[in-house]
Amino acid sequence: MKIFSGSSNQPLAEKVANDLGVPLSQVEIHMFPDGERRVRVLEKVVGEDCVVVQSTSIPVDHNYMELYFIVDALKRSGARSITTVIPYLGYQRQDHIFREGEAVSLSVVIKTLENIGAIKVIAVDLHSIKIPEFFSVPIIHVSALELFAQKIRSMFEPLEDIVLVSPDMGGIRRIKILSELLDNTPYIAVEKNRDLATGEVEAHVMYGEVKKIAVIVDDMISSGNTIAVASDLLVKKGVEQIVVFATHPVFSEHAPEVLQNSKARKIYVTDTIFVPKEKRFKKLEILSVSNIIAESLSVS
Ligand code: R5P
């Protein structure tokens, strides 16, 4: 197996390769002054099973194009199979038509990837349970929830004082799975409203009883507003300590500031998306999903 990395998350690709005991294979990625990218595979791949690791996070479109080009280059160079590991799948929140006249952007990027030659996809904590149905090639959907459960146990065992919190109604399925992993720890949910035009978030109602410690769990943090408003509401309801677990640190706009200034004590995310130095903040801790990805590659 040969593992290649796009430029979006090379540290994770290196860890995955290391976990599998293989060196990271070489690909040259050049950016022209006008923003176009040119890629070139620097190793012989004829007859090889190849893997490309690329998170399609910020800058989303550039990272998708780079992924497409690497897959195309591998195919043209004679690779036997090409598996794409997309730890964070960009456009996954655009998986249906919300308002008349919109595109289903996720469907477009997936069709393109498949047409170019990816024969299998590995993805982490997809936004909705329906997303695997968009793929006509096999997709292995892995999760960071077990990793979160282990960390939560190590912090709060015997778990009596904690309640799990979904910061929106769309996260209920995720929170139920985590609750089961944590001996049926109780969970509650916040009902949030987002203005699709401005992106502004409001937390309205909370369903369920709070406890001393609240553990908010989400699939991704983008602007950080969902976490900030949910934390405000939890404190109003009497919670004394809040910690947050979210798989994907999208961290757009002023997210680091919003999160650092929020009422949460600690924010745990994973390395599905590389967080550059300038986006790191005191309350942040990054857990690695490399083992989970390496394991799914070794059994598939
Ligand atoms: C929404 O459905 C997702 O699960 C996240 O809650 C959301 O994308 C977070 O976005 P933001 O950080 O911008 O509020």
Side-chain angles (χ1 to χ4, degrees), residues 93 127 168 192 194 218-226:
R93 284 171 293 178
H127 183 59
D168 58 34
K192 122 185 150 186
R194 185 191 293 273
D218 210 347
D219 58 337
M220 66 181 85
I221 302 177
S222 183
S223 66
N225 292 330
T226 298

Side-chain angles (χ1 to χ4, degrees), residues 88 93 127 166-171 174 192 194 199-201 217-229 248 250-253 255 258-259:
Y88 171 74
R93 284 171 293 178
H127 183 59
S166 173
D168 58 34
M169 302 308 283
R174 190 174 307 120
K192 122 185 150 186
R194 185 191 293 273
E200 257 170 52
V201 177
V217 182
D218 210 347
D219 58 337
M220 66 181 85
I221 302 177
S222 183
S223 66
N225 292 330
T226 298
I227 296 301
V229 297
H248 308 296
V250 175
F251 291 176
S252 55
E253 304 171 315
V258 172
L259 295 166

Side-chain angles (χ1 to χ4, degrees), residues 1 5 11 15 67 71 137 165 203 226 247 249 272 280:
M1 182 190 293
S5 177
K15 275 191 194 155
L67 172 64
V71 171
V137 298
V165 183
T226 298
T247 307
T272 57
R280 297 191 182 205

Side-chain angles (χ1 to χ4, degrees), residues 43-106:
E43 299 192 14
K44 295 275 171 261
V45 294
V46 179
E48 296 277 357
D49 292 318
C50 295
V51 174
V52 186
V53 182
Q54 174 82 325
S55 274
T56 46
S57 49
I58 300 170
V60 182
D61 295 343
H62 270 154
N63 286 333
Y64 262 114
M65 293 307 276
E66 204 178 278
L67 172 64
Y68 296 154
F69 297 156
I70 297 172
V71 171
D72 185 66
L74 288 170
K75 195 173 171 202
R76 289 173 194 277
S77 306
R80 184 168 75 158
S81 71
I82 304 155
T83 294
T84 53
V85 175
I86 314 181
Y88 171 74
L89 183 73
Y91 287 105
Q92 58 180 303
R93 284 171 293 178
Q94 296 188 47
D95 61 349
H96 63 274
I97 294 172
F98 290 86
R99 295 172 299 182
E100 199 183 308
E102 289 182 345
V104 183
S105 311
L106 180 63

Side-chain angles (χ1 to χ4, degrees), residues 181-255:
L181 291 170
L182 291 169
D183 312 330
N184 297 315
T185 293
Y187 57 87
I188 61 177
V190 174
E191 190 175 314
K192 122 185 150 186
N193 265 357
R194 185 191 293 273
D195 183 322
L196 284 181
T198 64
E200 257 170 52
V201 177
E202 270 180 14
H204 282 297
V205 192
M206 183 165 293
Y207 298 96
E209 293 293 311
V210 296
K211 290 202 177 194
K212 223 155 78 182
I213 303 165
V215 178
I216 302 180
V217 182
D218 210 347
D219 58 337
M220 66 181 85
I221 302 177
S222 183
S223 66
N225 292 330
T226 298
I227 296 301
V229 297
S231 302
D232 286 345
L233 190 58
L234 286 162
V235 168
K236 267 192 210 149
K237 299 278 178 187
V239 170
E240 291 171 21
Q241 191 191 137
I242 300 167
V243 293
V244 176
F245 285 82
T247 307
H248 308 296
V250 175
F251 291 176
S252 55
E253 304 171 315
H254 306 293

